[in-house]
Amino acid sequence: MPNRDVSAVSAKNFLPDIRMPSNMPPEPVGIADMAKMFDVTHRTLHFYEEKGIIASRRSGIMRVYSHADIRRMAVVNFCRDIGIPIATVQLIMQDLSTATTQAEADDLFQAALAARKKEVNAELSKLSVQMQKINDALLPEEHHAVGATQAKTATDVRLTTRERQCLELMAEGYAPARLARTLGVPVEEHERLEAVILEKVGASDRYQAVAKSLQLGLISQNEE
């Protein structure tokens, strides 16, 4: 039996507003359903339990979870998706467990996201420099002048005000659903916006679009 304070894990009441899985099954939720909802393995869920990040109870021989457990897992899964290491996730969840109000929990999580944003911006900046060096090394000497001209033209990518706002929020790490809510548009409209931005900057995905936009000066790196 893992050495953890299960009562403390299950007593968390204040968590950030993270999008929950659709079509949530009724309680108690079996481990197979939990794993399917978050696209993780049973072993991953066991690992999180060993770390004291989530908890389960027994129904016969099966591990089951409550909707409150699913809320915690939604936070953990979000942190995992944006690249926060498991040790840091543990600290975040411990900090959230000390929150006495929803506002306090939101502030704690926003601080964690701001810290991760700085890390991602630094990574993007480094990758952008590395990509430029690779491109310079791959291009034959006679093509360097042409490449420089193309790069200069790329900085003149024409973005509408809404497209630029969307791009800046993408650079801040906003998930698609939250980005759509922030812009006040349906998810389908946001998807169209991202597709147009990707086409204009010549990117294959949103991460490459942000990296290229930083490199080309379409958006600036925000260190605050």
Side-chain angles (χ1 to χ4, degrees), residues 110-125:
Q110 287 297 308
L113 292 183
R116 179 57 185 155
K117 175 185 170 182
K118 286 185 178 181
E119 294 172 352
V120 171
N121 273 331
E123 292 166 7
L124 284 173
S125 181

Side-chain angles (χ1 to χ4, degrees), residues 1-219:
M1 184 75 174
N3 183 16
R4 67 186 187 279
D5 186 355
V6 176
S7 62
V9 169
S10 14
K12 315 302 186 288
N13 295 317
F14 300 108
L15 293 170
D17 182 20
I18 298 298
R19 185 177 183 181
M20 296 288 286
S22 57
N23 301 320
M24 195 173 347
E27 297 179 298
V29 178
I31 189 170
D33 288 330
M34 182 74 145
K36 183 177 180 180
M37 276 189 287
F38 294 102
D39 192 25
V40 298
T41 64
H42 292 203
R43 185 173 181 177
T44 296
L45 294 174
H46 296 165
F47 174 73
Y48 289 160
E49 288 187 38
E50 290 170 1
K51 294 295 183 180
I53 297 175
I54 61 171
S56 66
R57 60 186 176 84
R58 292 282 184 177
S59 177
I61 61 172
M62 183 174 64
R63 276 185 167 92
V64 295
Y65 303 86
S66 67
H67 287 176
D69 298 319
I70 295 174
R71 286 190 64 212
R72 287 181 59 77
M73 184 58 194
V75 176
V76 173
N77 200 59
F78 177 84
C79 290
R80 185 190 69 162
D81 285 346
I82 63 174
I84 296 179
I86 189 64
T88 305
V89 174
Q90 283 182 278
L91 294 175
I92 291 171
M93 300 308 286
Q94 287 171 11
D95 287 344
L96 288 172
S97 73
T98 68
T100 56
T101 66
Q102 186 62 54
E104 186 180 353
D106 290 340
D107 287 345
L108 286 168
F109 196 62
Q110 287 297 308
L113 292 183
R116 179 57 185 155
K117 175 185 170 182
K118 286 185 178 181
E119 294 172 352
V120 171
N121 273 331
E123 292 166 7
L124 284 173
S125 181
K126 185 184 296 184
L127 288 173
S128 178
V129 171
Q130 292 174 351
M131 182 61 74
Q132 186 60 57
K133 288 182 178 180
I134 292 171
N135 287 338
D136 290 345
L138 286 174
L139 288 173
E141 287 295 330
E142 60 268 25
H143 290 167
H144 279 183
V146 175
T149 302
Q150 291 174 339
K152 184 176 180 180
T153 303
T155 61
D156 296 327
V157 173
R158 303 294 183 181
L159 295 175
T160 66
T161 301
R162 177 53 63 89
E163 289 165 357
R164 188 174 298 278
Q165 184 182 10
C166 179
L167 182 57
E168 289 171 349
L169 293 174
M170 288 163 60
E172 291 184 20
Y174 277 47
R178 185 185 176 201
L179 200 156
R181 290 198 302 270
T182 302
L183 292 178
V185 299
V187 174
E188 294 77 10
E189 173 65 12
H190 159 257
E191 291 174 347
R192 187 194 68 79
L193 273 174
E194 279 206 16
V196 170
I197 292 169
L198 263 60
E199 181 178 358
K200 286 186 175 182
V201 301
S204 59
D205 57 50
R206 65 186 344 235
Y207 303 105
Q208 188 181 56
V210 169
K212 281 193 172 186
S213 299
L214 285 168
Q215 179 181 343
L216 299 174
L218 294 173
I219 54 176

